Amino acid sequence: MKRSVLTRYRVMAYVTGVLLVLLTLGVIAKYGLQIDGAAKFTTVIGIAHGWLYVIYLVVAFDLGSKAKWPVAKQLWVLLAGTIPTAAFFVERRISRELEAKVVDPEPAPAKA
C-alpha cells in the first residue's frame, strides 16, 4: 500500500474530527447556552462536516479495501467520523498499525 493512501486518510480523519468537535460545541452553544450567532455557525459547520464526511467515507473505504480489512473493522473506521473525538483515536490506532505495511517509493539514485 502506498503512503499517499494512508496520508489521505489521516488528513480527512483530522478534518472530519475537528469539524465534528466544532459542530458539537456549536450545538451546545445554540441549544444549551442560547448564544447569539450560534445558529449560523452550526449551520455552516454542519454543512461543511456533512460534505467532508462523505469524502472521509470514500477515503477510509479506499484505505480499508487496500489494507484488506474485515467488514467489522471497516465499519468501525467509517463510523469514527460520527462520534466527537473518535476520529482522532481511531486515526492514531490505524496509522500505527499500517505504518509497517506502507511502501515508500524507491529513492532516486544520486548523480555523481
Side-chain angles (χ1 to χ4, degrees), residues 1-4 98-106:
M1 176 174 47
K2 293 182 181 179
R3 179 167 299 281
S4 62
L98 293 179
E99 274 298 322
K101 296 179 182 179
V102 169
V103 176
D104 286 321
E106 292 294 321

Side-chain angles (χ1 to χ4, degrees), residues 8-89:
R8 278 193 300 266
Y9 165 73
R10 293 184 73 190
V11 167
M12 288 311 302
Y14 276 106
V15 168
T16 303
V18 167
L19 286 175
L20 188 56
V21 168
L22 289 174
L23 181 60
T24 303
L25 293 174
V27 168
I28 291 169
K30 179 179 176 180
Y31 294 108
L33 305 174
Q34 298 176 348
I35 295 176
D36 292 333
K40 180 70 173 169
F41 177 81
T42 304
T43 301
V44 170
I45 296 297
I47 290 170
H49 171 70
W51 282 104
L52 290 171
Y53 179 68
V54 172
I55 297 170
Y56 168 81
L57 290 175
V58 171
V59 169
F61 183 79
D62 181 46
L63 177 70
S65 64
K66 289 181 177 161
K68 297 182 180 14
W69 289 337
V71 173
K73 184 172 187 173
Q74 185 104 15
L75 288 174
W76 175 66
V77 173
L78 294 174
L79 290 174
T82 63
I83 302 167
T85 69
F88 303 120
F89 297 107

